Short mmCIF file of all heavy atoms in Angstrom, two decimals:
data_model
loop_
_atom_site.label_atom_id
_atom_site.label_comp_id
_atom_site.label_asym_id
_atom_site.label_seq_id
_atom_site.Cartn_x
_atom_site.Cartn_y
_atom_site.Cartn_z
N ARG Q 664 -7.96 -21.73 12.34
CA ARG Q 664 -6.86 -21.81 13.32
C ARG Q 664 -5.62 -21.27 12.66
O ARG Q 664 -5.31 -21.58 11.59
CB ARG Q 664 -6.70 -23.20 13.71
CG ARG Q 664 -5.63 -23.35 14.89
CD ARG Q 664 -5.40 -24.86 15.25
NE ARG Q 664 -5.04 -25.55 14.12
CZ ARG Q 664 -3.98 -26.36 13.94
NH1 ARG Q 664 -3.15 -26.40 14.92
NH2 ARG Q 664 -3.77 -27.00 12.86
N VAL Q 665 -5.07 -20.16 13.26
CA VAL Q 665 -3.81 -19.58 12.75
C VAL Q 665 -2.95 -19.46 13.95
O VAL Q 665 -3.15 -19.03 14.98
CB VAL Q 665 -4.04 -18.13 12.21
CG1 VAL Q 665 -2.75 -17.49 11.73
CG2 VAL Q 665 -5.05 -18.25 10.97
N GLN Q 666 -1.70 -20.01 13.74
CA GLN Q 666 -0.71 -20.01 14.75
C GLN Q 666 -1.19 -20.57 16.02
O GLN Q 666 -1.04 -19.94 17.13
CB GLN Q 666 0.00 -18.66 14.96
CG GLN Q 666 0.81 -18.26 13.73
CD GLN Q 666 1.64 -17.02 13.95
OE1 GLN Q 666 1.04 -15.95 14.05
NE2 GLN Q 666 2.98 -17.15 14.27
N ASN Q 667 -1.91 -21.71 15.96
CA ASN Q 667 -2.54 -22.35 17.17
C ASN Q 667 -3.52 -21.49 17.95
O ASN Q 667 -3.92 -21.83 18.99
CB ASN Q 667 -1.45 -22.72 18.17
CG ASN Q 667 -0.62 -23.97 17.66
OD1 ASN Q 667 -1.27 -24.78 16.92
ND2 ASN Q 667 0.65 -24.02 17.82
N THR Q 668 -4.12 -20.47 17.34
CA THR Q 668 -5.09 -19.77 17.83
C THR Q 668 -6.43 -20.08 17.18
O THR Q 668 -6.47 -20.02 15.96
CB THR Q 668 -4.89 -18.22 17.90
OG1 THR Q 668 -3.65 -17.90 18.63
CG2 THR Q 668 -5.98 -17.42 18.46
N HIS Q 669 -7.45 -20.35 17.97
CA HIS Q 669 -8.79 -20.76 17.23
C HIS Q 669 -9.54 -19.53 17.10
O HIS Q 669 -9.61 -18.56 17.92
CB HIS Q 669 -9.50 -21.78 18.19
CG HIS Q 669 -8.70 -23.05 18.33
ND1 HIS Q 669 -8.79 -24.11 17.40
CD2 HIS Q 669 -7.59 -23.40 19.29
CE1 HIS Q 669 -7.89 -25.08 17.74
NE2 HIS Q 669 -7.19 -24.64 18.88
N ILE Q 670 -10.27 -19.48 15.98
CA ILE Q 670 -10.93 -18.24 15.54
C ILE Q 670 -12.39 -18.53 15.25
O ILE Q 670 -12.71 -19.45 14.53
CB ILE Q 670 -10.27 -17.59 14.33
CG1 ILE Q 670 -8.76 -17.40 14.47
CG2 ILE Q 670 -10.91 -16.27 13.92
CD1 ILE Q 670 -8.01 -17.10 13.26
N ARG Q 671 -13.24 -17.70 15.75
CA ARG Q 671 -14.63 -17.73 15.41
C ARG Q 671 -15.11 -16.30 15.00
O ARG Q 671 -14.49 -15.28 15.47
CB ARG Q 671 -15.55 -18.24 16.53
CG ARG Q 671 -15.38 -19.72 16.77
CD ARG Q 671 -15.93 -20.55 15.68
NE ARG Q 671 -15.77 -22.06 15.80
CZ ARG Q 671 -14.76 -22.75 15.50
NH1 ARG Q 671 -13.62 -22.15 14.97
NH2 ARG Q 671 -14.74 -23.93 15.70
N MET Q 672 -16.07 -16.15 14.15
CA MET Q 672 -16.47 -14.82 13.80
C MET Q 672 -17.99 -14.64 13.94
O MET Q 672 -18.69 -15.52 13.84
CB MET Q 672 -16.12 -14.59 12.30
CG MET Q 672 -14.64 -14.23 12.18
SD MET Q 672 -14.26 -14.15 10.44
CE MET Q 672 -14.68 -12.49 10.10
N LEU Q 673 -18.40 -13.36 14.11
CA LEU Q 673 -19.75 -12.96 13.97
C LEU Q 673 -19.78 -11.77 13.02
O LEU Q 673 -18.89 -10.96 13.06
CB LEU Q 673 -20.28 -12.49 15.43
CG LEU Q 673 -20.33 -13.57 16.42
CD1 LEU Q 673 -20.55 -12.87 17.74
CD2 LEU Q 673 -21.48 -14.50 16.10
N HIS Q 674 -20.87 -11.62 12.29
CA HIS Q 674 -20.96 -10.40 11.42
C HIS Q 674 -22.18 -9.60 11.86
O HIS Q 674 -23.20 -10.20 12.14
CB HIS Q 674 -21.20 -10.87 9.96
CG HIS Q 674 -20.26 -11.72 9.37
ND1 HIS Q 674 -19.01 -11.38 9.22
CD2 HIS Q 674 -20.28 -13.12 9.01
CE1 HIS Q 674 -18.22 -12.36 8.66
NE2 HIS Q 674 -19.12 -13.45 8.54
N LEU Q 675 -21.91 -8.40 11.96
CA LEU Q 675 -23.06 -7.39 12.39
C LEU Q 675 -23.41 -6.52 11.12
O LEU Q 675 -22.41 -6.04 10.54
CB LEU Q 675 -22.60 -6.71 13.60
CG LEU Q 675 -23.70 -5.75 14.23
CD1 LEU Q 675 -24.75 -6.69 14.75
CD2 LEU Q 675 -23.08 -5.02 15.40
N ARG Q 676 -24.62 -6.51 10.81
CA ARG Q 676 -25.03 -5.59 9.65
C ARG Q 676 -25.89 -4.51 10.20
O ARG Q 676 -26.88 -4.80 10.94
CB ARG Q 676 -25.88 -6.37 8.80
CG ARG Q 676 -25.29 -7.51 8.05
CD ARG Q 676 -26.25 -8.12 7.15
NE ARG Q 676 -25.73 -8.65 5.96
CZ ARG Q 676 -25.10 -9.90 6.00
NH1 ARG Q 676 -25.06 -10.63 7.09
NH2 ARG Q 676 -24.53 -10.36 4.87
N ILE Q 677 -25.52 -3.25 9.94
CA ILE Q 677 -26.31 -2.15 10.41
C ILE Q 677 -26.85 -1.32 9.21
O ILE Q 677 -26.07 -0.81 8.43
CB ILE Q 677 -25.53 -1.37 11.31
CG1 ILE Q 677 -24.96 -1.96 12.43
CG2 ILE Q 677 -26.31 -0.15 11.78
CD1 ILE Q 677 -23.88 -1.43 13.27
N GLU Q 678 -28.16 -1.28 9.14
CA GLU Q 678 -28.79 -0.69 7.90
C GLU Q 678 -28.50 0.74 7.91
O GLU Q 678 -28.26 1.42 8.94
CB GLU Q 678 -30.25 -0.91 7.86
CG GLU Q 678 -31.08 -0.32 8.97
CD GLU Q 678 -31.19 -1.06 10.27
OE1 GLU Q 678 -30.29 -2.07 10.42
OE2 GLU Q 678 -32.01 -0.82 11.13
N ASN Q 679 -28.43 1.28 6.60
CA ASN Q 679 -28.21 2.73 6.46
C ASN Q 679 -29.36 3.51 7.18
O ASN Q 679 -30.45 3.07 7.25
CB ASN Q 679 -28.22 3.02 4.95
CG ASN Q 679 -26.96 2.80 4.41
OD1 ASN Q 679 -25.96 2.41 5.01
ND2 ASN Q 679 -26.91 2.85 3.02
N GLY Q 680 -28.90 4.60 7.84
CA GLY Q 680 -29.86 5.47 8.55
C GLY Q 680 -30.03 5.06 9.98
O GLY Q 680 -30.64 5.84 10.73
N ALA Q 681 -29.53 3.88 10.33
CA ALA Q 681 -29.68 3.49 11.80
C ALA Q 681 -28.61 4.22 12.62
O ALA Q 681 -27.58 4.73 12.03
CB ALA Q 681 -29.42 1.96 11.96
N ASN Q 682 -28.75 4.25 13.81
CA ASN Q 682 -27.69 4.99 14.66
C ASN Q 682 -26.49 4.12 14.99
O ASN Q 682 -26.50 3.23 15.81
CB ASN Q 682 -28.44 5.34 16.10
CG ASN Q 682 -27.48 6.19 16.90
OD1 ASN Q 682 -26.29 6.34 16.65
ND2 ASN Q 682 -28.10 6.84 17.85
N VAL Q 683 -25.49 4.30 14.10
CA VAL Q 683 -24.30 3.51 14.15
C VAL Q 683 -23.43 3.73 15.43
O VAL Q 683 -22.88 2.82 16.05
CB VAL Q 683 -23.36 3.82 12.95
CG1 VAL Q 683 -22.34 2.66 12.78
CG2 VAL Q 683 -24.22 3.91 11.67
N VAL Q 684 -23.51 4.98 15.86
CA VAL Q 684 -22.71 5.31 17.04
C VAL Q 684 -23.20 4.50 18.27
O VAL Q 684 -22.46 3.89 19.02
CB VAL Q 684 -22.69 6.80 17.37
CG1 VAL Q 684 -21.93 7.14 18.66
CG2 VAL Q 684 -22.08 7.56 16.18
N GLU Q 685 -24.57 4.50 18.30
CA GLU Q 685 -25.20 3.72 19.44
C GLU Q 685 -24.96 2.35 19.31
O GLU Q 685 -24.64 1.65 20.31
CB GLU Q 685 -26.69 4.03 19.37
CG GLU Q 685 -27.52 3.43 20.47
CD GLU Q 685 -27.04 3.57 21.92
OE1 GLU Q 685 -26.38 4.53 22.10
OE2 GLU Q 685 -27.67 2.84 22.73
N ALA Q 686 -25.01 1.79 18.04
CA ALA Q 686 -24.80 0.38 17.85
C ALA Q 686 -23.38 0.01 18.30
O ALA Q 686 -23.21 -1.10 18.90
CB ALA Q 686 -25.01 0.04 16.37
N LYS Q 687 -22.37 0.74 17.95
CA LYS Q 687 -21.11 0.44 18.36
C LYS Q 687 -20.89 0.46 19.95
O LYS Q 687 -20.09 -0.25 20.46
CB LYS Q 687 -20.06 1.46 17.70
CG LYS Q 687 -19.94 1.12 16.24
CD LYS Q 687 -19.01 2.20 15.57
CE LYS Q 687 -18.97 2.03 14.03
NZ LYS Q 687 -18.45 3.08 13.35
N ARG Q 688 -21.66 1.44 20.48
CA ARG Q 688 -21.46 1.48 21.98
C ARG Q 688 -22.05 0.25 22.61
O ARG Q 688 -21.35 -0.46 23.45
CB ARG Q 688 -22.31 2.74 22.48
CG ARG Q 688 -21.95 3.07 23.98
CD ARG Q 688 -23.05 4.11 24.48
NE ARG Q 688 -24.37 3.67 24.42
CZ ARG Q 688 -24.86 2.75 25.27
NH1 ARG Q 688 -24.08 2.17 26.18
NH2 ARG Q 688 -26.12 2.38 25.17
N VAL Q 689 -23.12 -0.21 22.13
CA VAL Q 689 -23.72 -1.48 22.62
C VAL Q 689 -22.80 -2.71 22.41
O VAL Q 689 -22.58 -3.48 23.24
CB VAL Q 689 -25.18 -1.59 22.02
CG1 VAL Q 689 -25.63 -3.05 22.43
CG2 VAL Q 689 -26.18 -0.50 22.47
N LEU Q 690 -22.34 -2.73 21.21
CA LEU Q 690 -21.43 -3.79 20.86
C LEU Q 690 -20.24 -3.81 21.80
O LEU Q 690 -19.80 -4.85 22.30
CB LEU Q 690 -20.99 -3.68 19.39
CG LEU Q 690 -19.92 -4.61 18.89
CD1 LEU Q 690 -20.36 -6.06 18.99
CD2 LEU Q 690 -19.55 -4.25 17.35
N GLY Q 691 -19.66 -2.61 21.93
CA GLY Q 691 -18.49 -2.54 22.88
C GLY Q 691 -18.70 -3.06 24.26
O GLY Q 691 -17.94 -3.76 24.91
N GLU Q 692 -19.95 -2.74 24.72
CA GLU Q 692 -20.32 -3.14 26.09
C GLU Q 692 -20.50 -4.65 26.14
O GLU Q 692 -19.99 -5.24 27.15
CB GLU Q 692 -21.80 -2.61 26.37
CG GLU Q 692 -21.95 -1.73 27.58
CD GLU Q 692 -23.27 -1.04 27.53
OE1 GLU Q 692 -24.29 -1.73 27.42
OE2 GLU Q 692 -23.29 0.12 27.72
N GLN Q 693 -21.06 -5.24 25.16
CA GLN Q 693 -21.26 -6.69 25.21
C GLN Q 693 -19.90 -7.50 25.03
O GLN Q 693 -19.73 -8.52 25.73
CB GLN Q 693 -22.21 -7.16 24.00
CG GLN Q 693 -23.58 -6.54 24.15
CD GLN Q 693 -24.30 -6.82 25.52
OE1 GLN Q 693 -23.94 -7.94 26.22
NE2 GLN Q 693 -25.08 -5.96 26.10
N ILE Q 694 -19.01 -6.88 24.28
CA ILE Q 694 -17.69 -7.47 24.17
C ILE Q 694 -17.01 -7.46 25.56
O ILE Q 694 -16.45 -8.49 25.88
CB ILE Q 694 -16.91 -6.71 23.05
CG1 ILE Q 694 -17.43 -7.06 21.69
CG2 ILE Q 694 -15.31 -7.13 23.14
CD1 ILE Q 694 -16.72 -6.25 20.50
N ALA Q 695 -17.11 -6.32 26.19
CA ALA Q 695 -16.43 -6.18 27.47
C ALA Q 695 -17.05 -7.23 28.43
O ALA Q 695 -16.37 -7.82 29.17
CB ALA Q 695 -16.58 -4.74 28.00
N TYR Q 696 -18.32 -7.40 28.37
CA TYR Q 696 -19.11 -8.37 29.25
C TYR Q 696 -18.46 -9.77 29.02
O TYR Q 696 -18.08 -10.45 29.90
CB TYR Q 696 -20.51 -8.30 28.96
CG TYR Q 696 -21.23 -9.40 29.78
CD1 TYR Q 696 -21.54 -9.31 31.14
CD2 TYR Q 696 -21.58 -10.64 29.18
CE1 TYR Q 696 -22.16 -10.39 31.91
CE2 TYR Q 696 -22.17 -11.66 29.76
CZ TYR Q 696 -22.52 -11.50 31.25
OH TYR Q 696 -23.13 -12.45 31.93
N VAL Q 697 -18.44 -10.19 27.68
CA VAL Q 697 -17.82 -11.48 27.48
C VAL Q 697 -16.39 -11.66 27.85
O VAL Q 697 -15.96 -12.75 28.47
CB VAL Q 697 -18.04 -11.82 25.91
CG1 VAL Q 697 -17.40 -13.10 25.55
CG2 VAL Q 697 -19.46 -11.80 25.50
N GLN Q 698 -15.73 -10.60 27.57
CA GLN Q 698 -14.27 -10.60 28.13
C GLN Q 698 -14.16 -10.77 29.59
O GLN Q 698 -13.13 -11.42 30.14
CB GLN Q 698 -13.54 -9.42 27.53
CG GLN Q 698 -13.05 -9.49 26.13
CD GLN Q 698 -12.54 -8.24 25.59
OE1 GLN Q 698 -13.07 -7.14 25.93
NE2 GLN Q 698 -11.68 -8.29 24.62
N SER Q 699 -14.98 -10.23 30.30
CA SER Q 699 -14.94 -10.40 31.75
C SER Q 699 -15.46 -11.79 32.23
O SER Q 699 -14.99 -12.23 33.29
CB SER Q 699 -15.90 -9.39 32.47
OG SER Q 699 -17.26 -9.76 32.29
N LYS Q 700 -16.17 -12.53 31.44
CA LYS Q 700 -16.57 -13.87 31.76
C LYS Q 700 -15.53 -14.94 31.20
O LYS Q 700 -15.43 -16.03 31.87
CB LYS Q 700 -17.90 -14.15 31.11
CG LYS Q 700 -19.01 -13.32 31.59
CD LYS Q 700 -19.53 -13.83 32.95
CE LYS Q 700 -20.35 -12.81 33.62
NZ LYS Q 700 -20.37 -13.05 35.01
N GLU Q 701 -14.91 -14.65 30.06
CA GLU Q 701 -13.94 -15.67 29.51
C GLU Q 701 -12.59 -15.18 29.64
O GLU Q 701 -12.22 -14.39 28.72
CB GLU Q 701 -14.52 -15.93 28.16
CG GLU Q 701 -13.90 -17.23 27.52
CD GLU Q 701 -14.31 -18.45 28.23
OE1 GLU Q 701 -15.50 -18.89 28.19
OE2 GLU Q 701 -13.42 -19.11 28.85
N LYS Q 702 -11.89 -15.72 30.50
CA LYS Q 702 -10.52 -15.28 30.66
C LYS Q 702 -9.63 -15.34 29.47
O LYS Q 702 -9.73 -16.36 28.70
CB LYS Q 702 -9.77 -15.99 31.89
CG LYS Q 702 -9.49 -14.98 33.01
CD LYS Q 702 -8.83 -15.83 34.16
CE LYS Q 702 -7.36 -16.23 33.80
NZ LYS Q 702 -6.85 -17.31 34.75
N SER Q 703 -8.78 -14.45 29.15
CA SER Q 703 -7.90 -14.34 28.07
C SER Q 703 -8.33 -14.62 26.68
O SER Q 703 -7.70 -15.01 25.81
CB SER Q 703 -6.58 -15.21 28.38
OG SER Q 703 -6.87 -16.54 28.49
N VAL Q 704 -9.68 -14.31 26.52
CA VAL Q 704 -10.23 -14.32 25.22
C VAL Q 704 -9.93 -12.94 24.49
O VAL Q 704 -9.76 -11.96 25.19
CB VAL Q 704 -11.70 -14.56 25.15
CG1 VAL Q 704 -12.49 -13.40 25.79
CG2 VAL Q 704 -12.23 -14.84 23.72
N VAL Q 705 -9.55 -13.00 23.24
CA VAL Q 705 -9.30 -11.78 22.52
C VAL Q 705 -10.53 -11.48 21.58
O VAL Q 705 -10.81 -12.38 20.81
CB VAL Q 705 -8.00 -11.85 21.67
CG1 VAL Q 705 -7.78 -10.63 20.82
CG2 VAL Q 705 -6.84 -12.03 22.63
N ILE Q 706 -11.16 -10.35 21.67
CA ILE Q 706 -12.18 -10.03 20.78
C ILE Q 706 -11.93 -8.73 20.04
O ILE Q 706 -11.80 -7.71 20.71
CB ILE Q 706 -13.64 -9.92 21.49
CG1 ILE Q 706 -13.80 -11.25 22.36
CG2 ILE Q 706 -14.72 -9.67 20.62
CD1 ILE Q 706 -15.05 -11.31 23.10
N LEU Q 707 -11.90 -8.81 18.73
CA LEU Q 707 -11.56 -7.65 17.93
C LEU Q 707 -12.81 -7.31 17.11
O LEU Q 707 -13.61 -8.11 16.71
CB LEU Q 707 -10.44 -8.00 16.91
CG LEU Q 707 -9.20 -8.61 17.42
CD1 LEU Q 707 -8.31 -9.10 16.28
CD2 LEU Q 707 -8.40 -7.66 18.40
N SER Q 708 -12.85 -6.00 16.85
CA SER Q 708 -14.02 -5.56 15.95
C SER Q 708 -13.23 -4.96 14.68
O SER Q 708 -12.34 -4.17 14.77
CB SER Q 708 -14.71 -4.51 16.53
OG SER Q 708 -15.23 -4.86 17.73
#
Side-chain angles (χ1 to χ4, degrees):
R664 186 179 53 124
V665 175
Q666 289 189 289
N667 284 328
T668 298
H669 298 272
I670 306 168
R671 289 294 180 271
M672 284 175 81
L673 297 166
H674 304 294
L675 189 61
R676 294 180 152 81
I677 302 168
E678 65 276 17
N679 281 350
N682 187 343
V683 194
V684 176
E685 176 59 12
K687 286 176 186 167
R688 194 192 59 74
V689 172
L690 173 59
E692 232 173 56
Q693 297 307 330
I694 288 176
Y696 173 80
V697 174
Q698 278 169 328
S699 74
K700 293 286 164 199
E701 193 64 65
K702 241 178 73 195
S703 61
V704 68
V705 174
I706 305 180
L707 310 171
S708 306

